[in-house]
Amino acid sequence: MTAVESAVTPRVETATPQVVAMTYREAVREAIRAAMRQDSRVFLMGEDVGRYGGTYAVSHGLLDEFGPERVRDTPLSESAFVGMGIGAALGGMRPIVEVMTVNFSLLAADQIVNGAATMLHMSGGQFNVPLVIRMATGAGRQLAAQHSHSLEGWYAHIPGIRVLAPATIEDARGMLPSALDDPDPVLIFEHATLYNIEGQLAAGAGAVPIDRAAVRREGRDVSLIAYGGMLRTAIAAAEQLEASGVSAEVIDLRVLRPLDDDTILASVRKTHRAVVIDEAWRSGSLAAEVSARIMEGAFYELDAPVARVCAAEVPIPYPRHLEQYALPRVETIVETVQRMTTHAG
Amino acid sequence: MTELRMPSLGADMEFGTLVQWRVKPGAAVKRGDVVAEVETQKGVFEIDIREDAIVSELLVAEGSRVKVGAPMAVLVPAGVRAPDERPAAAPPSVRPVMKAAPPIPVVRLDGATVPSGTPPHRPRASPLARRVAAELGIDLSAVPGTGDGGVITRSDVEQAATSAASATPPVAAMRPIEVSPKPPAATAGMREAIAAAMARSKREIPHYYLSEDVELSPAMNWLNTTNAARPVPERILPAAMLLKGVARALTRFPELNGYFVSNTFQPSAQVHLGVAITLRGGGLVAPAIHDADRLSVTELMAALADLVRRARQGGLRSSEITDPTITVTNLGEEGVRTVYGVITPPQVAIVGFGSIDERPWAEDGLIGARPVVTVSLSADHRVSDGWRGARFLRELRRLLGTPEEL
Amino acid sequence: MSANEHDLALLEAMIRIRRFEERCADLYKEEKIRGFLHLYIGEEAIAVGVMQALTPADAVVSTYREHGHALARGIDMNRVMAEMYGKATGTSGGRGGSMHLFDAPSRFYGGTAIVGEQLPMAAGLALADKMQGRPVVTACFFGDGAVAEGEFHETMNLAALWKLPVLFCCENNRYAMGTAIERAQSETDLALKAAAYRMPAWPVDGMDVKAVDSAARRAAESIRAGEGPHFIEFRTYRFRAHSMFDPELYRSKDEVEQWRRRDPILLFSERLRRESALDDTALEAIEKRVAAEIEAAVAFAEASEWEPVESLTRHVTTLAAP
């Protein structure tokens, strides 16, 4: 394995037969804890990560364990503390900067886009920025327009950064250590509705690859391509479709930049139909990018146009019924697939 | 000598306008002295000199618009005698010469115009369906689409390819060959294509018509004798003899075998007989038997049967659709005596056979009942004339009279 | 080095920057240097003076008007000139240009085109040094324009709160591009603003290289001793326009002339002459050395290769696909 590969392929763990019940939140916490124990250069910095215990309780208990030098509460200064993350990374540390949500990351957009993403290039290869930024993202909790963005697609647009969307407990646990090993900036988007999900994790589970998508469910008739919070929606749709005789394959993108074209195209070449499910608005979205790539790479395999199921083009509204209606729903996905597979054998 | 050139002061500066010279020819200037005022879109700038020099010549008049990099004055650097030549100053600008961009023409889009000589209707099919149809040799215009909005999907193409029809064996008499039923909507596209082709044919091709009655008893006797010695699957239909006769006759009448394209007739070295096969539901295909003149009657029979079967199943190859150099049609089963066919462009002739009936026939002063078929020729008068057409029919009659030589 | 030798070195360092900048202006007009060019002419005393207080282990963070800082920090002039040209031998392989000079060996972290963007990064570098127990200073250069940006205030606050070893060097040349400070700041006493964040802050005459030198040394010493960030407002002036394509409609020629009388090179050479530390011969020797170095740098840049387009997508990310 070359040095390049070793950074993004899982470390070999001795397998133990046990599994541990865990929430997504706990998995992220465990990832941070393990990283900080293993490497004294790793530290956590962000709003309310310390005394408050983390907005989403991810860092609950970490201040007590590691102290205020390594779990740093910052003032409300997104631009400054993200930029400081850049400087600290340049200076030999391995900072994990937590921006409370992607909505507030706009205040630090310059630091991310003009600072972190460009440093390696502008310096002609001299300066890597091994910075990890974690952010909560997404809608669905009636937090209204300013607190419900899914801007992963914007960041996935920028050369120089890696963008991850862990949608499973295994990925919540395993993507962070791999991100910390990446010599360049990595953004990790945690959909806020995933924190509570429960599941099982192999005891001793660790780093996972951060360079490829995953087939979460195999199928023959259509490829449902999703990421983050939408993975579970896609799987629910696939189960419903199964009952009506349509076999749906579900792809979890996992890595939004760089996109894993190989996995996506292999699936579409098999099923000949694709639906991209993205909680962002469709215009200029990551779904648009995936659709374009499918058109470019598998045009002659398509038995129907690539469909996109995205949020309605409206700032996310507060009342539950409107918000749910605006977001991609299982019914919409199922209907879309059924139209594509009319009379299909 | 060196030159003072219009300096670039910014990435988007292309020109400067010389507002005023601050020096006259012959003036001695020192490094940093301002020698000119130049106006740009941003405002007025003072242009200073790089090195001590004497101004030899002013090349540009006040008020002129000068491109960045273009020379404005000639200087003699201090310490150099005027007659001495010095290498030119900095090499010319590496920027590309900016021409005034031509105005972008405004293209008015008329409402969609249908070009004359309507191209065949293009069915709506998914990329995958198209690919599979091409591979299987299916005519998409004959495939019903059941996808969203009536689009033809892959399964529709596969369905068309494997649609089971009750296998109707070729009949003894000449009959229009039929295929298994399809929903009427399926052939709408085909109907449209036929309509367009026929309309164009009648519009553009000056048809002339000839017909000839051919007495077939020698041919039928030979046929019956030959068939008696063969197992049923290998037996020959009269159609095969007639087709062979046409094919051989055509080798001597090239003006009936080829394509009329771009106001020119291109005779074909090969004889690819297009055989008209009607489809139930109102469709018609006329795929080619390639090199029919080179096939024996037995081979031609086999080719015909295979063609009919594949036309029924939807397994025709595109070359069979595009290659006929002439078409042969028969409607004998329907009981018509004579067929006056419409030429399929770009072909230049169509041969029609009516039914083979027992008719009164006079020969050697005696009247008897013989099997007789009326053969018709419709031909393109731009390429051939009645005299040649008549001789073709005579040749065909002769060939059919010596069936063992077909 | 004797005091005289040191002073002559200061003078030479300033002249070196001045002549380099003048040559760059010429090269820009000849379209050898492209994009934007921001000249440091008039402000040389600050770069030269502050660098006296820094060691090679310290870090330097600068802004787009950075050639003086880069040269004073000791980056090879050949490579700086090549970077201005965009050649592959430049400090950033030609990829950055005038506004993005980087040099890892001398801990020179650019060079940014976004006003104020570098302040958080400087604080982060200082944080890393502090967390790893290194008694080094991060010198962060920025102008009066940056003081208006949110990043300035956020960084001042955080640096003071966390006692980060940053030397904030504000080069107040009174203009943010075309906007005079009186029209941009409700409180134009910038040192006062910084002091409000609870860090030592004071103004210094930026035209006096010795004053700059001594103020920077004092601040650096305190910072190394763990006393947290310091802020120095260097009062200075740029004699040329903001960038090349600026007709300076926003200030009078008289004002520029007045400040030219306080040219740091002029003032210092006059002072050295008064002290008999400088004569015409010595000055001529300095100019000659400087001219030769600049000629060599231009020749180096001219002769250097362009990076081939085949390697365009290098240096985007370290691992695989960008």
Side-chain angles (χ1 to χ4, degrees), chain C residues 1-321:
Chain C
M1 192 188 274
S2 72
N4 275 353
E5 279 167 358
H6 177 69
D7 286 346
L8 286 173
L10 291 177
L11 180 67
E12 179 157 351
M14 289 197 287
I15 291 176
R16 184 170 174 258
I17 295 170
R18 174 71 56 94
R19 300 290 172 243
F20 178 89
E21 296 290 77
E22 287 169 349
R23 190 55 187 276
C24 283
D26 290 338
L27 290 167
Y28 189 91
K29 291 180 199 170
E30 293 163 28
E31 298 185 89
K32 298 287 183 167
I33 298 174
R34 312 278 287 145
F36 289 143
L37 186 71
H38 305 92
L39 300 175
Y40 200 60
I41 293 174
E43 304 185 27
E44 297 88 346
I46 303 169
V48 171
V50 171
M51 292 307 162
Q52 304 310 309
L54 301 182
T55 72
D58 296 321
V60 177
V61 176
S62 182
T63 174
Y64 50 79
R65 199 179 301 280
E66 59 172 342
H67 314 149
H69 307 124
L71 291 174
R73 183 59 173 163
I75 301 177
D76 178 4
M77 187 188 279
N78 283 356
R79 293 179 52 231
V80 176
M81 184 60 83
E83 186 63 34
M84 310 287 286
Y85 269 63
K87 297 290 183 87
T89 49
T91 51
S92 301
R95 296 274 182 137
S98 159
M99 297 190 288
H100 304 298
L101 302 175
F102 291 84
D103 184 60
S106 59
R107 293 201 77 202
F108 193 90
Y109 294 92
T112 175
I114 308 291
V115 174
E117 181 187 87
Q118 75 276 28
L119 275 79
M121 182 180 78
L125 282 163
L127 176 66
D129 288 329
K130 180 169 171 161
M131 288 179 81
Q132 291 169 97
R134 299 194 286 245
V136 296
V137 174
T138 299
C140 180
F141 293 91
F142 53 96
D144 46 289
V147 173
E149 290 282 355
E151 276 74 13
F152 170 82
H153 299 275
E154 290 184 22
T155 308
M156 289 287 112
N157 181 42
L158 259 163
L161 193 65
W162 290 358
K163 276 183 108 104
L164 301 177
V166 187
L167 176 57
F168 291 105
C169 302
C170 178
E171 298 176 309
N172 180 2
N173 61 21
R174 307 170 59 84
Y175 289 91
M177 201 158 93
T179 303
I181 191 169
E182 295 79 25
R183 296 176 52 235
Q185 293 289 338
S186 57
E187 171 59 74
T188 56
D189 185 337
L190 303 181
L192 193 61
K193 280 174 126 75
Y197 291 102
R198 294 289 183 111
M199 70 174 76
W202 66 102
V204 168
D205 180 3
M207 301 318 232
D208 178 348
V209 66
K210 298 290 280 183
V212 172
D213 183 341
S214 96
R217 282 185 205 267
R218 197 150 60 88
E221 210 176 289
S222 295
I223 295 170
R224 282 185 225 286
E227 289 178 27
H230 285 49
F231 177 98
I232 304 177
E233 178 196 339
F234 295 104
R235 295 185 173 163
T236 182
Y237 201 83
R238 54 165 166 81
F239 299 146
R240 301 279 191 113
H242 166 73
S243 69
M244 292 301 292
F245 208 11
D246 169 17
E248 299 182 70
L249 304 175
Y250 47 84
R251 61 185 189 181
S252 71
K253 291 207 171 42
D254 285 343
E255 183 184 289
V256 180
E257 277 317 302
Q258 264 186 304
W259 276 92
R260 276 196 189 270
R261 291 188 216 129
R262 306 209 64 244
D263 182 333
I265 293 173
L266 187 67
L267 290 183
F268 198 53
S269 21
E270 279 174 358
R271 172 172 162 172
L272 290 179
R273 281 183 194 277
R274 280 198 304 274
E275 295 169 4
S276 303
L278 177 73
D279 58 17
D280 285 347
T281 316
L283 188 58
E284 230 176 87
I286 289 173
E287 293 280 9
K288 227 171 135 182
R289 264 198 301 278
V290 164
E293 190 185 2
I294 292 171
E295 274 318 303
V298 174
F300 176 80
E302 288 279 351
S304 287
E305 298 290 318
W306 298 104
E307 184 181 350
V309 297
E310 288 74 31
S311 58
L312 174 65
T313 52
R314 278 174 68 211
H315 303 316
V316 180
T317 52
T318 306
L319 304 171

Side-chain angles (χ1 to χ4, degrees), chain B residues 344-355:
Chain B
T344 305
Q347 297 161 35
V348 295
I350 179 166
V351 175
F353 289 96
S355 52

Side-chain angles (χ1 to χ4, degrees), chain A:
Chain A
M1 219 191 304
T2 65
V4 165
E5 288 169 347
S6 66
V8 293
T9 49
R11 299 189 182 114
V12 175
E13 307 271 357
T14 45
T16 66
Q18 295 150 294
V19 289
V20 181
M22 191 176 287
T23 62
Y24 182 106
R25 166 187 297 108
E26 286 163 343
V28 179
R29 182 184 310 141
E30 188 51 38
I32 299 172
R33 177 184 286 130
M36 286 176 66
R37 280 183 187 162
Q38 274 167 20
D39 187 347
S40 59
R41 301 172 300 171
V42 177
F43 71 100
L44 178 66
M45 174 163 66
E47 293 163 7
D48 291 319
V49 296
R51 292 286 292 271
Y52 187 94
T55 316
Y56 299 99
V58 170
S59 52
H60 186 83
L62 295 183
L63 176 63
D64 287 343
E65 183 173 346
F66 296 99
E69 275 290 298
R70 298 189 66 201
V71 178
R72 291 178 171 255
D73 282 324
T74 64
L76 304 187
S77 304
E78 280 76 5
S79 185
F81 68 74
V82 169
M84 283 176 64
I86 297 172
L90 283 168
M93 302 298 288
R94 289 288 184 275
I96 303 171
V97 172
E98 181 174 309
V99 175
M100 199 180 276
T101 75
V102 70
N103 308 289
F104 312 147
S105 76
L106 297 175
L107 294 162
D110 178 73
Q111 295 294 331
I112 297 170
V113 171
N114 274 325
T118 60
M119 183 67 65
L120 183 66
H121 180 261
M122 287 199 308
S123 68
Q126 293 181 77
F127 293 120
N128 287 96
V129 179
L131 168 66
V132 174
I133 304 176
R134 290 176 40 248
M135 312 188 213
T137 184
R141 293 166 302 133
Q142 294 189 253
L143 299 182
Q146 294 179 333
H147 272 65
S148 306
H149 289 296
S150 293
L151 297 176
E152 299 89 325
W154 277 15
Y155 291 109
H157 179 63
I158 310 296
I161 54 180
R162 184 181 300 267
V163 179
L164 306 177
T168 63
I169 289 171
E170 186 193 36
D171 281 349
R173 173 64 184 91
M175 283 186 156
L176 180 68
S178 300
L180 285 164
D181 272 353
D182 190 333
D184 298 315
V186 180
L187 271 50
I188 303 180
F189 288 94
E190 300 160 5
H191 198 282
T193 60
L194 292 177
Y195 286 124
N196 288 338
I197 65 167
E198 289 177 5
Q200 310 231 300
L201 195 64
V208 298
I210 51 172
D211 61 350
R212 61 195 80 146
V215 179
R216 295 297 185 196
R217 188 183 201 279
E218 288 200 12
R220 286 181 324 273
D221 297 326
V222 62
S223 301
L224 302 182
I225 301 164
Y227 70 90
M230 288 290 103
L231 177 64
R232 284 144 56 80
T233 313
I235 289 176
E239 283 161 4
Q240 231 181 73
L241 286 165
E242 183 81 64
S244 63
V246 176
S247 158
E249 179 150 292
V250 178
I251 308 282
D252 177 4
L253 287 175
R254 299 182 71 247
V255 184
L256 308 185
R257 182 172 188 107
L259 281 170
D260 180 358
D261 290 348
D262 290 345
T263 302
I264 296 167
L265 295 176
S267 177
V268 176
R269 287 190 187 116
K270 183 172 72 161
T271 65
H272 305 292
R273 298 178 192 85
V275 181
V276 190
I277 301 139
D278 185 351
E279 200 183 274
W281 299 293
R282 70 199 304 270
S283 306
S285 60
L286 192 69
E289 176 62 26
V290 173
S291 176
R293 292 196 189 199
I294 294 172
M295 189 277 295
E296 288 162 354
F299 180 78
Y300 297 100
E301 298 297 338
L302 288 172
D303 211 19
V306 176
R308 292 181 284 167
V309 177
C310 303
E313 303 265 315
V314 58
I316 303 299
Y318 158 67
R320 180 180 154 76
H321 71 292
L322 283 182
E323 181 179 33
Q324 289 302 313
Y325 193 77
L327 298 175
R329 287 165 286 133
V330 172
E331 308 87 75
T332 322
I333 301 170
V334 168
E335 270 164 31
T336 304
V337 173
Q338 280 169 345
R339 262 205 314 279
M340 288 170 126
T341 54
T342 319
H343 306 291

